[in-house]
C-alpha cells in the first residue's frame, strides 16, 4: 500500500527551509535549488508545491503571519475576555517587535519580503487586505479607548497609521542593532501615551 503523503506538512517543511535560507543568507539566496537543499528534498518536490519563487515568498510570509498571530494570542490571553484597548494594543504590538531571536528571524524574513514586493505589485497585492484589516482593528481600538477621539482632537484612522508606522520603524531599527529592545518598548509606550494618555503611576 503506498505511503500517504501529508502535503501540508511538506509545504510547511519547505517554507521553514525557505525562511532559514532567507534569515541566514538573505533573500537573494532564496531559490528553488537552495530551498530544496535546506529542506533536504529534491528541487522537483519544491516545484511540485511552489511553481515560482513568488509563490514561495507569499507562502513564507503567510507562515510568519501565522506565527505572529499565535504569539499575539498568547500575549493577550492573560488580559481576559474584554481587555482595555490600550492594554490590548500594547500587548499585541510589543509581541510583533523583534525582541528575541525567534522574532528577529521572522522579522528579517518579513522585512526582506516587503522589500521584494516593493518592485512586484502583483505579489504586494496579497498583503493589501491584511494591512487594511490590521489598520481597521487598531483604529477601532483607538476609537474605543482614547479620550482624544471622544472630544474630536484625534482621528482614529490617522492615529492607527502612525502607531503602526512607529511599530514597523522600531522593528527595523531593532533588527539593525540600532536600538536595544528596552528602547523600542519605551518608544512604543510613549506613542501609546500620546494616543491614550499616560498610564497612572504604579
Amino acid at each position: 500500500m503506498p505511503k500517504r503523503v501529508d502535503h501540508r506538512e511538506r509545504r510547511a517543511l519547505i517554507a521553514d527551509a525557505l525562511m532559514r535560507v532567507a534569515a541566514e543568507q538573505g533573500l537573494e539566496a532564496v531559490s528553488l535549488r537552495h530551498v530544496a537543499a535546506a529542506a533536504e528534498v529534491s528541487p522537483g518536490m519544491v516545484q511540485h508545491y511552489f511553481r515560482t519563487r513568488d509563490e514561495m515568498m507569499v507562502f513564507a510570509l503567510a507562515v510568519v503571519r501565522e506565527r505572529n498571530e499565535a504569539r499575539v494570542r498568547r500575549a493577550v490571553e492573560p488580559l481576559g475576555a474584554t481587555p482595555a484597548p490600550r492594554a490590548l494594543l500594547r500587548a499585541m504590538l510589543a509581541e510583533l517587535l523583534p525582541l528575541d531571536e525567534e522574532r528577529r528571524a521572522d522579522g528579517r524574513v518579513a522585512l526582506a519580503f516587503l522589500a521584494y514586493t516593493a518592485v512586484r505589485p502583483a505579489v504586494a497585492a496579497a498583503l493589501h487586505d491584511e494591512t487594511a484589516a490590521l489598520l481597521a482593528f487598531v483604529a477601532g481600538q483607538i476609537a474605543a479607548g482614547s479620550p482624544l477621539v471622544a472630544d474630536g482632537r484625534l482621528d482614529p484612522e490617522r492615529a492607527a497609521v502612525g502607531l503602526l508606522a512607529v511599530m514597523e520603524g522600531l522593528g527595523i531599527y531593532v533588527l539593525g542593532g540600532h536600538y536595544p529592545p528596552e528602547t523600542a518598548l519605551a518608544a512604543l509606550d510613549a506613542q501609546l501615551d500620546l494616543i491614550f494618555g499616560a498610564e497612572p503611576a504604579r
Side-chain angles (χ1 to χ4, degrees):
M1 184 174 179
K3 182 180 178 182
R4 289 189 65 183
V5 175
D6 187 331
H7 295 289
R8 181 177 176 80
E9 184 178 321
R10 282 200 174 165
R11 281 172 66 90
L13 172 73
I14 293 168
D16 185 63
L18 185 158
M19 292 172 66
R20 288 201 310 276
V21 172
E24 294 168 8
Q25 302 176 44
L27 200 65
E28 63 278 1
V30 172
S31 68
L32 295 174
R33 180 171 58 84
H34 286 134
V35 171
E40 299 182 345
V41 299
S42 69
M45 181 181 290
V46 176
Q47 282 190 298
H48 176 74
Y49 291 101
F50 304 102
R51 291 170 299 171
T52 66
R53 191 170 185 250
D54 284 351
E55 284 187 5
M56 281 201 304
M57 297 299 181
V58 171
F59 185 75
L61 193 66
V63 172
V64 171
R65 182 173 64 248
E66 288 172 5
R67 290 179 179 179
N68 283 338
E69 287 172 353
R71 292 186 190 112
V72 168
R73 281 195 298 272
R74 290 193 297 269
V76 303
E77 190 174 309
L79 301 178
T82 55
R86 181 200 168 105
L88 176 60
L89 289 181
R90 205 277 185 184
M92 182 181 84
L93 298 179
E95 202 59 39
L96 294 176
L97 287 172
L99 304 181
D100 57 36
E101 189 48 48
E102 182 182 349
R103 284 181 284 175
R104 279 193 288 273
D106 284 353
R108 285 191 290 269
V109 173
L111 181 60
F113 183 88
L114 290 174
Y116 182 82
T117 63
V119 293
R120 292 167 177 81
V123 181
L127 300 177
H128 292 172
D129 289 346
E130 177 191 342
T131 301
L134 178 60
L135 177 63
F137 177 81
V138 173
Q141 293 299 311
I142 292 172
S146 172
L148 300 179
V149 173
D151 64 16
R153 288 184 289 160
L154 187 71
D155 179 280
E157 186 167 324
R158 290 181 181 176
V161 170
L163 181 59
L164 291 175
V166 166
M167 184 269 292
E168 294 284 357
L170 289 171
I172 291 170
Y173 278 107
V174 171
L175 284 173
H178 303 285
Y179 300 150
E182 56 269 23
T183 297
L185 287 173
L188 176 62
D189 284 331
Q191 188 68 20
L192 289 168
D193 284 347
L194 293 174
I195 294 170
F196 291 97
E199 286 191 306
R202 297 178 181 176

